[in-house]
């Protein structure tokens, strides 16, 4: 139920904002708007305002539309006040562009709220145990390496590193990664990213053999961890001689071993220490589990004021636009397989997962999807806003309208492309569900 609700809320918000941009531009230029609909199919709710616009919520929340008075759809509208196609080309270009622009405005607003309300928080890009025989091991990565730059781009945290991996997808050359070594000094490691490009169903770090470091944060006074000699900043490498690849694995192992003596291997500076810790037995709600009294470390937190949040939101917005744009280019050029297209099922699942984590996670997803919708709609494909913007610009250069026969043919081609990609995305969703 949460997945369905999150999906509906996501689609309704980003589509409504998109169509609202078109609507406001039409009203500003004196265009008569007949219908503003969120969703397709049977009309569930509707009312008509004083200017004659019918506002509709339809049953299928997979899109929406604003319908102006247009002679191309109603021949009797020719010469009528407020008819859309008779407006100057520059006004029509602005009207088509207003939808994507409003998607970008929505994303910026969300990022500002997140930066001002929550700040920017994430895990430092510190490398944990490296998978044997992986491309990461071949590149020379070792536990304790802190990733600080990719190429000429300085970065902070794993999220920024993921973005750089996406930008590099499908590229034949290795990725130059600058790391600060645990013993001091920096070096550049050349990472082959082809294993992830070849299998995008895998998480990127897993495909490359990298793992996030498990770093100890705060250690409680008189806790089993303090008694064992664990300190803040220690990096956990092994538990009972088995590699520790994630905080969740570490946490689950501790909780599953109340009262048991555990051998922990940690990296402290450049030395590997072996410690013995015995989790205390804690009973809550009739269930017993182990606890040693440590918090997650290796976390950075940046706080922003009202104005500082604007700059931070702009940086996040530009970063995501770059990632979405680069991904689309890679799909078109064949560097990314079309198998990676996701449809409504994928969106629903991700929306549900984000909503279950918390409001900040859900808002971040909403901003990303709004950017994606805006960028896709700016593609110069007939039936999309970008196609009509392109034709409008040509009309402005020519000084006269394009032939109606050409526009109708282009619209047919665009419709075929858009429907084909939608069906492919839905097919990919179904394959992932049943494979």
């Amino acid at each position: 139920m949460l997945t369905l609700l999150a999906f509906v809320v996501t689609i309704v918000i980003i589509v409504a904002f998109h169509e609202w941009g078109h609507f406001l531009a039409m009203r500003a230029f004196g265009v008569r708007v007949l219908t503003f609909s969120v969703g397709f199919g049977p009309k569930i709710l509707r009312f008509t305002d004083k200017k004659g616009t019918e506002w509709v919520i339809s049953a299928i929340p997979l899109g929406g539309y604003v319908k102006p008075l247009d002679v191309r759809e109603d021949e009797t509208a020719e010469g009528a006040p407020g008819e859309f196609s008779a407006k100057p080309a520059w006004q029509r270009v602005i009207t088509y562009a207003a939808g994507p622009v409003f998607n970008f405005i929505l994303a910026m607003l969300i990022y500002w709220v997140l930066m001002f309300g929550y700040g920017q928080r994430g895990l430092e890009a510190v490398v944990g145990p490296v998978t044997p025989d992986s491309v990461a091991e071949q590149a020379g990565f070792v536990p304790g390496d802190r990733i600080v730059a990719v190429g000429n781009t300085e970065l902070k945290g794993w999220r920024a590193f993921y973005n750089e991996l996406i930008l590099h997808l499908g590229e034949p050359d290795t990725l130059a990664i600058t790391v600060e070594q645990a013993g001091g000094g920096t070096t550049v490691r050349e990472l082959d990213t082809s294993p992830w490009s070849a299998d995008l169903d895998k998480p990127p770090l897993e495909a490359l053999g990298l793992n996030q470091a498990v770093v100890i944060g705060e250690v409680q006074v008189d806790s089993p961890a303090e008694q064992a000699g664990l300190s803040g900043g220690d990096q956990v490498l092994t538990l009972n001689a088995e590699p520790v690849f994630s905080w969740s694995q570490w946490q689950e192992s501790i909780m599953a071993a109340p009262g048991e003596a555990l051998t922990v291997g940690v990296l402290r500076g450049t030395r590997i220490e072996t410690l013995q810790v015995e989790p205390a037995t804690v009973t809550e709600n009739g269930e017993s589990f182990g606890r040693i009294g440590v918090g997650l470390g290796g976390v950075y937190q940046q706080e922003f004021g009202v104005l500082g949040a604007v700059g931070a939101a702009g940086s996040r917005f530009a970063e995501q636009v770059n990632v979405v744009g680069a991904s689309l280019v890679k799909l078109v050029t064949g560097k990314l397989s079309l198998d990676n297209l996701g449809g409504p099922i994928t969106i629903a699942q991700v929306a549900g997962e984000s909503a279950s984590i918390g409001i900040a996670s859900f808002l971040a997803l909403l901003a990303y999807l709004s950017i994606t919708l805006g960028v896709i709609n700016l593609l110069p494909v007939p039936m999309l806003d970008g196609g009509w913007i392109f034709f409008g610009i040509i009309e402005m250069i020519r000084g006269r309208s394009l032939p109606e026969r050409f526009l109708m043919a282009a619209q047919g081609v665009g419709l075929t492309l858009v429907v084909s990609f939608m069906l492919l995305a839905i097919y990919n969703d179904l394959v992932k569900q049943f494979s």
Side-chain angles (χ1 to χ4, degrees), residues 13 17 104-121 301-317 358-367:
I13 291 176
F17 242 80
F104 297 151
I105 291 172
L106 173 61
M108 273 294 297
L109 287 173
I110 291 173
Y111 284 142
W112 180 85
V113 169
L114 290 174
M115 296 301 173
F116 180 63
Y118 296 89
Q120 192 156 251
R121 177 184 172 89
Q301 175 75 36
Q302 296 173 284
E303 304 291 344
F304 302 99
V306 174
L307 295 180
V310 174
S315 296
R316 176 68 69 85
F317 173 79
I359 185 64
S361 176
F362 178 69
L363 287 175
L365 173 68
L366 193 63

Side-chain angles (χ1 to χ4, degrees), residues 162-176:
Y162 290 149
N163 287 339
E164 291 299 320
L165 287 177
I166 292 171
L167 294 175
H168 194 73
L169 266 177
E171 302 297 334
D173 51 324
T174 58
L175 197 57

